[in-house]
Amino acid sequence: MSLVVVGSIAFDSVETPFGARERMLGGSAVHFSLAASFFSDVRVVGPVGDDFGDDEYAVLQARGVDTSDIERRPGETFFWAGRYEEDLNTRVTEETRLGVFEDFRPKLSAESRSAEIAFLGNIQPELQRDVRAQCTGAQLVALDSMNLWIDTARESLVAAIREVDVIVMDEVEVRMLTGESNLLRAAREVMALGPHTVVAKQGDHGVSLYREDEFFALPAFPLETVSDPTGAGDCFAGGFLGSLAAAGSGADGAALRRATAYGSVLGSFCVEEFGTERLQRLTREEIDERYAELQRMTALEAAPA
Ligand code: AMP
């Protein structure tokens, strides 16, 4: 199955207790597509400015990501600057410059319109809806969002959620969106809007997956070195949906559990280094090795007779 993603394509300046980087390649669509590229074909939709050069395209193309739906426009590429506190769980946004996103109207190619799986990465919810409407071939559409849009565009975000099948969001934002502090109840409230699956990312606590009659959870893969959490959520989504695209069939229980594990594995590699650094030299063998370790760590024996 083919995969299309719309989201930010960005330059990120990031500071963590373990170092800092200026204007590195980032953005939700970039992290997502690099992670998904280990499993399936992936096309990126989004705008970049004239400061986005060959080196940036080359990072995506080296992983086989189809960049023909990236629209180059006069102006500045989306820019985000953030800082993490000592525990790495608290992120402070210091600057967001929309640049070419300001007046962006997505126009999907025929190939992107016919992709079977679509991911609406974290951007303005009306843009997510616009892309959703154009994805006429999609059998599965997933959406991510963030506190900024819950605060500033809540109605549009709820309308966007009504139009998708899967929500992949941070647990704090699922709670914030619903005003319900119990995550199971919050997930049920989101499902009542329309999506059949809610995946709540819980940072270094792992991930929980909720469906009408199913629950699944995994811890985060234990890491000794965490340098920069930026992009972990998008890499999770890329591994999750990429794995579902590779499985080809509908999203049954086993495929969803496997996808959750692949998502966790991709997120864990992402945070080991800054930005896209680790994913740029990641291999499929390393992914499968870590998947097997995660499987061993989480397998539960049957109760004694
Ligand atoms: P996450 O997976 O949540 O860590 O996503 C990190 C990415 O989100 C960074 O690479 C940023 O460029 C991007 N980002 C931050 N703020 C926004 C925003 N308001 N809209 C779209 N993308 C954003």
Side-chain angles (χ1 to χ4, degrees):
M1 284 176 146
S2 58
L3 195 50
V4 64
V5 53
V6 63
S8 51
I9 303 168
F11 285 115
D12 289 346
S13 290
V14 174
E15 191 187 334
T16 82
F18 308 103
R21 298 285 188 281
E22 292 291 327
R23 290 183 65 80
M24 58 183 175
L25 177 64
S28 52
V30 168
H31 290 293
F32 176 93
S33 60
L34 290 177
S37 71
F38 289 95
F39 303 90
S40 89
D41 291 343
V42 51
R43 311 177 61 89
V44 180
V45 175
V48 296
D50 35 31
D51 52 353
F52 197 85
D54 292 345
D55 290 353
E56 283 75 37
Y57 280 107
V59 171
L60 296 169
Q61 287 162 355
R63 289 269 353 119
V65 174
D66 191 321
T67 57
S68 48
D69 273 7
I70 293 183
E71 205 180 306
R72 199 141 187 264
R73 304 155 63 94
E76 192 199 6
T77 299
F78 180 90
F79 174 78
W80 177 77
R83 174 171 56 80
Y84 293 83
E85 307 281 327
E86 203 55 44
D87 69 352
L88 290 179
N89 285 323
T90 314
R91 169 156 84 188
V92 181
T93 290
E94 293 189 315
E95 194 176 349
T96 301
R97 291 203 302 268
L98 287 180
V100 290
F101 254 107
E102 204 122 23
D103 52 0
F104 173 62
R105 289 287 158 273
K107 244 184 288 82
L108 271 62
S109 62
E111 290 86 349
S112 289
R113 283 170 187 266
S114 61
E116 285 108 338
I117 301 186
F119 180 61
L120 311 176
N122 167 31
I123 45 168
Q124 221 284 338
E126 283 303 326
L127 282 182
Q128 293 180 312
R129 297 188 69 198
D130 188 341
V131 172
R132 169 67 196 97
Q134 294 182 53
C135 287
T136 45
Q139 296 160 24
L140 187 89
V141 182
L143 174 146
D144 185 14
S145 192
M146 71 185 293
N147 52 0
L148 174 70
W149 310 121
I150 300 172
D151 284 337
T152 63
R154 198 194 149 75
E155 266 178 44
S156 298
L157 177 58
V158 169
I161 290 173
R162 287 185 195 281
E163 294 163 359
V164 303
D165 309 294
V166 180
I167 295 298
V168 184
M169 262 166 83
D170 196 274
E171 65 161 331
V172 176
E173 284 146 12
V174 174
R175 290 194 173 100
M176 189 177 159
L177 175 73
T178 55
E180 171 58 66
S181 61
N182 178 294
L183 193 53
L184 173 57
R185 285 182 201 229
R188 285 206 204 287
E189 279 194 27
V190 175
M191 286 189 276
L193 295 172
H196 56 60
T197 305
V198 173
V199 184
K201 298 171 284 179
Q202 297 168 289
D204 58 0
H205 296 301
V207 59
S208 303
L209 181 141
Y210 300 87
R211 303 188 92 189
E212 180 65 35
D213 49 10
E214 200 170 325
F215 171 77
F216 182 62
L218 278 177
F221 188 84
L223 294 172
E224 279 189 28
T225 306
V226 178
S227 301
D228 170 21
T230 310
D234 301 305
C235 286
F236 174 89
F240 182 83
L241 290 179
S243 152
L244 286 180
S249 54
D252 63 19
L256 281 168
R257 287 192 291 276
R258 221 174 277 129
T260 307
Y262 272 122
S264 301
V265 166
L266 268 295
S268 74
F269 280 114
C270 171
V271 303
E272 286 181 337
E273 295 179 22
F274 279 77
T276 62
E277 289 167 0
R278 184 65 181 95
L279 258 72
Q280 284 190 46
R281 49 181 183 72
L282 184 62
T283 64
R284 181 61 201 248
E285 290 67 37
E286 290 175 307
I287 294 172
D288 286 327
E289 234 170 74
R290 193 167 280 187
Y291 182 102
E293 278 183 64
L294 187 60
Q295 186 185 17
R296 270 196 301 277
M297 268 172 214
T298 54
L300 196 62
E301 311 302 332

